[in-house]
Amino acid sequence: MIATQRLSVRPYEKSDYAIWRDLYKSEESERTFADRIADYEQAAQKDDIYQFGVFRNSDEQLIGKVEVYTILRMSYDWGMVGYSLHPQFQGRGYGVEMVHAACEYFFSEKGFRRLEAHIVEENQRSINLAKRAGFAFECIREKFAEEDNVRRDYHIYYKNGP
C-alpha cells in the first residue's frame, strides 16, 4: 500500500466491492468483481499491469484509480501510467497527490525508470495533472492509437525515476 497524508493507493480487494459498485453505479456482480480482482493480481504477478484503487484516508471512500502498464523491461524499465479521479472528487489536489505517490512507488518498489502518460490533446485536465505531478512534455505521437475507430494523436508526458 502507498500512503500519503490524505490517501491510500493500493490494489483492489474483494472487500472493496460495495464501495466500488456504489461509486461507479455498476451492476456487476460481486462474483464478477472478485474475478476482476483475481485477473488484476495475475497481471501484477506477471509484471504486465498494476491496477490500484485510490481511497481517502478520512473515510475510506474510493475516489479514483491509478494503473501502470509495463511497456518494456530489459534495460529500459519503461511503463505507462493511467489515472482517473471520479468527478465529485476533482479540484481538491487528490489527483496530483495520487499520481505523484504512485509514481514514487513504481520507481522505488517496482524498479521502473521511466513512466509515460499518453493523453489525447483535448483532455486538458489530464495534461494539467501530469504537469503538476512532475511529468514533462516529450512529443506528440501522431495517429498513435485507435479510439472509436479513429487513429488519434497523443501527447506524451514522461517522468524519470531516480
Side-chain angles (χ1 to χ4, degrees):
M1 179 174 62
I2 307 157
T4 70
Q5 183 176 3
R6 300 185 302 163
L7 303 174
S8 295
V9 182
R10 61 169 174 76
Y12 289 103
E13 300 170 355
K14 292 175 189 173
S15 60
D16 296 326
Y17 171 71
I19 194 166
W20 179 87
R21 180 198 63 218
D22 293 346
L23 181 66
Y24 292 104
K25 310 220 181 314
S26 176
E27 295 182 16
E28 184 173 283
S29 72
E30 190 167 0
R31 176 70 185 149
T32 303
F33 183 76
D35 290 344
R36 178 193 304 259
I37 300 306
D39 290 345
Y40 291 166
E41 289 170 355
Q42 283 183 334
Q45 287 173 358
K46 294 189 313 187
D47 191 42
D48 289 338
I49 304 168
Y50 299 88
Q51 302 271 350
F52 286 6
V54 179
F55 299 82
R56 194 167 49 193
N57 291 336
S58 63
D59 58 2
E60 298 182 13
Q61 172 65 50
L62 175 64
I63 65 170
K65 66 180 180 177
V66 175
E67 52 208 13
V68 169
Y69 299 81
T70 300
I71 295 174
L72 184 63
R73 280 300 191 169
M74 296 172 23
S75 63
Y76 298 96
D77 295 319
W78 176 26
M80 179 182 71
V81 64
Y83 45 82
S84 66
L85 190 62
H86 202 271
Q88 71 192 58
F89 302 107
Q90 293 177 358
R92 301 178 195 177
Y94 292 136
V96 172
E97 189 173 335
M98 72 185 196
V99 170
H100 180 74
C103 288
E104 293 307 310
Y105 170 82
F106 283 100
F107 290 140
S108 66
E109 300 299 320
K110 296 297 180 185
F112 284 91
R113 295 177 50 197
R114 177 187 174 94
L115 292 172
E116 292 181 353
H118 302 177
I119 309 168
V120 292
E121 180 178 24
E122 51 276 1
N123 192 346
Q124 196 59 53
R125 284 186 87 111
S126 185
I127 289 172
N128 290 341
L129 192 157
K131 289 177 182 177
R132 290 192 330 267
F135 284 72
F137 177 75
E138 180 170 68
C139 66
I140 296 174
R141 292 190 184 140
E142 295 180 6
K143 297 181 176 27
F144 185 60
E146 188 171 313
E147 191 176 299
D148 299 325
N149 296 320
V150 175
R151 299 296 294 181
R152 309 246 346 243
D153 296 350
Y154 276 74
H155 289 229
I156 307 303
Y157 286 81
Y158 73 95
K159 186 172 187 174
N160 289 328

